[in-house]
Amino acid sequence: MSFSFFKALRPKTPQEVAKSIKESLMALDTKTVSEVKALEKALEEVEKNFATMRTMLSGDGESEPNLDQVSQLVEEICKEDVLTLLIHKLPILGWEARKDLVHCWSILLKHKVESHSYCVEYIEQHVELLDFLVVCYDNKDIALSCGIMLRECIKFPSLGRYILESASFVLFFKFVELPNFDVASDAFSTFKDLLTKHVNVVSEFLTAHYDEFFDLYERLLTSPNYVTRRQSLKLLSDFLLESPNSQIMKRYILEVRYLKVMMTLLRDSSKNIQISAFHIFKVFVANPHKPREVKLILAKNQEKLLELLHNLSPGKGSEDEQFEEEKEFIIKEIARLSC
């Protein structure tokens, strides 16, 4: 007769994994957090459960994940409101747990069960979770993790639309200029995704919130921070020149205040900013239906603009020829204007 002193542990079922995650996250209550030893033990349990979740969702490196188990886990995580706990407990989690959560987040959102994206549908019913993730940019310890999770959410039009139309969206105009460079850069990446991932959603948003949005955006274009000016100017070109935003662009180039902003940026000390500004400025000038006020501003500043444009060069590169052709056309347009 043989005896086994070490009985192999039975792998947890998806239901058991979801339950364990929920219980370990709920153990991170106020009392636990206030007691150092209790907190350390609770966080260790969370890390262990997150590692199990990661293995179930993405495999162990030697074998692929069982898709039936993945589906069951996704369903259980939504049914038991674990998704809410995952987000609300983020500020308390340790680095290892956050790393595993970020890895699992994309899989959870993308996985479909019989054509249903359960996690996306869950967030659609609990949109306050998106607001929570946005506000987390104010916490530099978890900002980068939340940024990755937000960008995964933004890949889905319904979630991107909610963030654009939510009160928390305006916070991005602050976050992109935070003193912490890494956090500010990450916030700008999320901001960019919001304005470029789903062009039709963005077009509807800009149409409905034109004045409010461009008032705030002007502050980025005139920021004393070089990185902010350069990034926001490039992004403006990216989304303003998209075909679904053609009506927005036509409205934008009728406004003298924005023409003045571009004229100021043409005089920026940075060559990169000058070139980016030119690509928007040229649309104001090339517009065959320029308002009288726009013509007057261009005519009054004709001499300075012509001097600026004659000296403007993108340097060596494959786009030189096209740039020079466009520049010559704009110079001729300005030259024939009179007050």
Side-chain angles (χ1 to χ4, degrees), residues 47-191:
E47 283 188 14
K48 184 176 74 175
N49 290 323
F50 277 19
T52 303
M53 172 173 66
R54 178 173 180 152
T55 300
M56 187 169 282
L57 289 174
S58 58
D60 59 8
E62 294 180 2
S63 57
E64 293 296 310
N66 181 311
L67 292 181
D68 286 338
Q69 286 192 331
V70 173
S71 296
Q72 290 173 45
L73 181 57
V74 167
E75 286 189 74
E76 285 297 316
I77 281 175
C78 294
K79 189 173 76 174
E80 295 298 323
D81 289 322
V82 176
L83 219 56
T84 294
L85 284 169
L86 290 174
I87 292 177
H88 283 164
K89 299 296 183 180
L90 254 171
I92 310 172
L93 300 179
W95 182 83
E96 196 67 37
R98 288 201 304 272
K99 186 180 74 170
D100 280 341
L101 174 56
V102 167
H103 174 87
C104 294
W105 188 251
S106 171
I107 301 170
L108 289 170
L109 291 183
K110 290 175 183 174
H111 188 77
K112 290 187 176 184
V113 183
E114 295 179 355
S115 80
H116 284 281
S117 298
Y118 277 109
C119 289
V120 174
E121 291 173 11
Y122 181 92
I123 296 172
E124 287 172 348
Q125 299 301 315
H126 300 80
V127 288
E128 70 280 359
L129 298 177
L130 295 170
D131 294 313
F132 186 92
L133 286 173
V134 172
V135 172
C136 282
Y137 269 118
D138 256 334
N139 183 339
K140 69 179 188 302
D141 294 330
I142 61 171
L144 302 186
S145 297
C146 291
I148 295 170
M149 293 168 71
L150 269 173
R151 288 190 291 279
E152 288 298 328
C153 291
I154 291 165
K155 290 177 181 178
F156 300 89
S158 61
L159 304 187
R161 182 190 297 275
Y162 171 78
I163 299 172
L164 280 173
E165 296 179 348
S166 71
S168 59
F169 174 67
V170 298
L171 293 173
F172 279 99
F173 292 92
K174 178 187 90 168
F175 294 150
V176 299
E177 294 206 88
L178 287 170
N180 184 301
F181 179 78
D182 290 337
V183 175
S185 297
D186 194 276
F188 198 91
S189 293
T190 305
F191 186 58

Side-chain angles (χ1 to χ4, degrees), residues 291-308:
R292 182 173 177 274
E293 294 83 359
V294 167
K295 289 180 180 177
L296 280 173
I297 291 292
L298 292 172
K300 284 180 180 179
N301 293 273
Q302 186 183 68
E303 187 177 336
K304 290 180 180 177
L305 284 170
L306 291 176
E307 182 182 353
L308 268 172

Side-chain angles (χ1 to χ4, degrees), residues 11-12 20-21 28-30 48 54 64 79 98 101 146 182 184 190 194 211 213 223 251 268 282 287 289-290 297 329:
K12 284 184 176 181
S20 295
I21 294 170
L28 297 174
D29 56 20
T30 309
K48 184 176 74 175
R54 178 173 180 152
E64 293 296 310
K79 189 173 76 174
R98 288 201 304 272
L101 174 56
C146 291
D182 290 337
T190 305
L194 282 166
D211 291 323
F213 176 82
S223 168
R251 183 174 175 183
D268 197 277
K282 70 186 180 186
N287 178 17
H289 307 295
K290 289 186 283 291
I297 291 292
F329 173 77

Side-chain angles (χ1 to χ4, degrees), residues 195-196 199 236-247 249:
L195 293 170
T196 56
V199 290
L236 181 64
S237 290
D238 288 345
F239 70 81
L240 202 57
L241 301 179
E242 287 277 5
S243 54
N245 293 330
S246 60
Q247 293 305 312
M249 183 192 70

